[in-house]
Amino acid sequence: MTDGSGLQAGLKNRHLSMIAIGGVIGAGLFVGSSSGIATAGPGILLSYALVGTLVVLVMRMLGEMSAANPTSGSFSAHADRALGRWAGFSIGWLYWFFWVVVLAVEATAGAKILEGWIPAVPQWGWALIVMVVLTATNLVSVGSYGEFEFWFAGIKVVAIGAFIVVGALAVFGVLPGAHTDKAGIGNLTDHGGFLPNGPGAILTGVLLVVFSFMGSEIATLAAGESEDPQRAVTKSTNSIIWRIGVFYLGSILVVVCLLPWNDPSIKEQGSYVAALDSLGIAHAGQIMNFIVLTSVLSCLNSGLYTASRMAFSLGGRGDAPAAFARTTSRGVPMAAIIASVVFGFVAVFFNYAFPDTVFLFLVNSSGAVALFVWLVICASQLRMRRIIERESPEKLVVRMWLYPYLTWATIALIVFVLGYMLTDTKGESSGRTTVLLSLLVALAVVAVSVIKERVRGGQAVAAAGTDTDKVPVA
């Protein structure tokens, strides 16, 4: 490995635009929405709207800080400066942990689809192939990552756009040749009302959909490697409202209008596949599987990129091995990428060898990290706004609305969601289990950071004492 001059501006504006759009469309939207619909009925729209509002507010805060100081460490670097070394260290490593676990989850999901198409290759073989190909992509250059993500995200965007248009035409009965006997706006209220399971189901729905929004912040990490970081952050932050409105609320609205919320096919086939099947569209299942596979590959590609850039930033701040902060001549942090993918491979192995013990622990203990990250972004913005206003007010090109009141309201909402999760005790991956295990891992990481700071402080004091001893006494 040769020491390059650090990360390079290899991402074009079109890459950043598509990374920002694709970042909010995770595989969780296609795969996880069916359980949300089964739980809350048409009221799941309110769950998505609530979490979407939360994400818009958090991204606005992150946009304010990142436009003023674009960096590959994003919120971890901001927390480092605003709250202290312990905060940047802790949230950086927790975020890295979250994404390397996601690598294993997504690699397994993609392998299941590919094995269904070509069963001659075992599932673990497909998981290995997918991981190796995307690792190679990330190792070549940031431009190759951007190009892959541009096309992956493009397919997702076109697919959801087409789904919304076709679905809307069917709902209003103007789609030629489609079976629209089950479709109609009436599905929103005809089967037990808009909230068939009561208003409490909205909050239960929030728990089911909140994690499918993770990834919105990737554009702020990638901005540091773009041609015009400030413009890229500003644009992605300002456009998130319509992105969430169209891709999440728009597509879910179409699903619950095409089919009654309690139609058994939604849970059996998945919400989007069931909705297309209900229209009598040929090969709907395979079309949807291709789109889900694209989303999985996109998530894998971005997950590896994101984990490696966070590791790179931690290495540069002395909170990870120094090798993580070194880049090749092409501006690629090779050691950070390899370390991230190795942990991802280990997690894939645990998924096959110990799915109900070790891997279940990994998934549950990383589950609430999204909410912890958002909480730290809020706390950082409260202090960082004052720092920016004092030192360089001209850099406040993106401003959080109604500061500081809306920031405090967002913090209260996140704390409320975490508290509500503690009341959910159903199943091995219950809300309570997820919060408590995630909290356990978070406390362990914070403890490591505090010990590390004390050791560093002790070494600094010792070094200062040694220097004083060397000064000759007059």
Side-chain angles (χ1 to χ4, degrees), residues 136-331:
T137 302
N138 273 265
L139 284 172
V140 171
S141 70
V142 68
S144 63
Y145 154 73
E147 203 60 40
F148 263 70
E149 193 54 29
F150 177 81
W151 291 105
F152 285 153
I155 291 170
K156 287 192 291 187
V157 169
V158 169
I160 290 198
F163 176 82
I164 291 172
V165 171
V166 169
L169 291 173
V171 168
F172 292 108
V174 292
L175 186 67
H179 305 158
T180 57
D181 49 307
K182 290 184 178 180
I185 300 291
N187 282 331
L188 293 174
T189 53
D190 287 351
H191 306 276
F194 186 69
L195 295 170
N197 297 325
I202 296 171
L203 288 173
T204 308
V206 165
L207 307 188
L208 294 169
V209 306
V210 68
F211 306 111
S212 65
F213 281 84
M214 194 68 164
S216 310
E217 68 294 324
I218 291 174
T220 64
L221 279 99
E225 293 176 83
S226 69
E227 298 162 338
D228 187 348
Q230 194 177 70
R231 178 175 173 272
V233 169
T234 305
K235 191 176 176 184
S236 66
T237 303
N238 290 338
S239 64
I240 194 164
I241 297 175
W242 71 260
R243 285 185 275 137
I244 287 175
V246 171
F247 297 125
Y248 277 85
L249 292 175
S251 64
I252 294 296
L253 176 61
V254 166
V255 169
V256 292
C257 284
L258 285 176
L259 277 173
W261 69 272
N262 53 0
D263 192 299
S265 65
I266 289 179
K267 223 168 182 182
E268 289 165 11
Q269 299 173 272
S271 50
Y272 289 80
V273 174
L276 285 176
D277 265 348
S278 72
L279 299 177
I281 293 174
H283 311 297
Q286 292 305 325
I287 293 168
M288 212 63 227
N289 272 338
F290 172 74
I291 295 164
V292 171
L293 178 63
T294 304
S295 290
V296 163
L297 294 175
S298 169
C299 196
L300 265 170
N301 197 34
S302 288
L304 183 52
Y305 171 83
T306 306
S308 65
R309 280 356 180 233
M310 186 57 76
F312 170 85
S313 177
L314 287 165
R317 286 178 273 146
D319 290 333
F324 285 5
R326 287 199 287 271
T327 59
T328 66
S329 57
R330 295 185 301 275

Side-chain angles (χ1 to χ4, degrees), residues 377-395:
I377 289 171
C378 294
S380 300
Q381 190 265 341
L382 279 174
R383 297 195 68 180
M384 189 61 85
R385 165 66 81 92
R386 294 196 293 270
I387 294 171
I388 299 170
E389 283 179 334
R390 186 175 65 246
E391 295 181 0
S392 46
E394 73 282 355
K395 290 186 177 180

